[in-house]
Amino acid sequence: MALYSEKVMDHFRNPRNVGVIENADGVGEVGNAKCGDIMKIYLKIDNDTVSDVKFETFGCGSAIASSSMATEMIKGKPLSEALALSNKAVAEALDGLPAYKMHCSVLAEEAIKAAVKDYYDKHGKEYDKSLFPDCESCAHCSIE
């Protein structure tokens, strides 16, 4: 059996939604320089819907594939669905990741949540704080 699925390899070799959104409504950056994976997600929000999403990822092929797949999964979706996206759903959409690479799908989930939180904060929108990780204790959110 191959180490990576065809979908992982496709999203690594041909990543979707790569780039920057100038004047993004929300930006989330998560990662850990010690393991080498850093993700930045940019959101454009219209009527509480993700109208556009881009990413920049510094990291391994699984991190790039997870970023690409996650952006595809939330584009055009309401913010509530973007917030509900789990790392497990990202990994399943990629037809699986090796156990030691699951942290890449976790980063994608956390980056989206961080970008949505940034949108809420920038626009003074009320939100349920329990929906967002406590970034001071979250290992992935502490970029060093």
Side-chain angles (χ1 to χ4, degrees):
M1 184 177 126
L3 183 60
Y4 296 105
S5 72
E6 288 182 32
K7 282 189 182 177
V8 170
M9 294 308 296
D10 181 43
H11 277 268
F12 167 62
R13 291 182 180 130
N14 307 292
R16 285 69 153 175
N17 307 306
V18 174
V20 175
I21 296 175
E22 296 298 327
N23 302 313
D25 294 312
V27 180
E29 184 171 356
V30 298
N32 187 323
K34 288 180 182 173
C35 75
D37 296 321
I38 298 172
M39 288 183 189
K40 195 169 190 176
I41 300 277
Y42 301 85
L43 299 176
K44 188 71 177 164
I45 309 296
D46 292 307
N47 298 319
D48 284 338
T49 299
V50 179
S51 61
D52 197 11
V53 56
K54 301 278 187 214
F55 78 91
E56 294 178 301
T57 294
F58 177 84
C60 66
S62 294
I64 293 166
S66 292
S67 301
S68 175
M69 179 58 81
T71 60
E72 286 286 280
M73 294 174 78
I74 67 166
K75 195 175 207 175
K77 303 286 191 216
L79 286 176
S80 59
E81 286 186 38
L83 280 174
L85 182 69
S86 69
N87 74 296
K88 184 178 177 186
V90 172
E92 286 174 0
L94 288 168
D95 292 337
L97 288 170
Y100 67 96
K101 291 295 186 177
M102 282 300 289
H103 71 277
C104 295
S105 63
V106 171
L107 281 175
E109 174 187 342
E110 290 175 350
I112 289 167
K113 285 183 178 175
V116 172
K117 182 180 183 303
D118 182 56
Y119 166 70
Y120 287 155
D121 289 341
K122 281 180 180 174
H123 294 86
K125 295 193 176 263
E126 296 280 326
Y127 59 88
D128 180 355
K129 292 183 182 4
S130 70
L131 294 174
F132 301 94
D134 177 21
C135 288
E136 292 174 13
S137 65
C138 174
H140 290 108
C141 294
S142 56
I143 298 173
E144 298 169 4

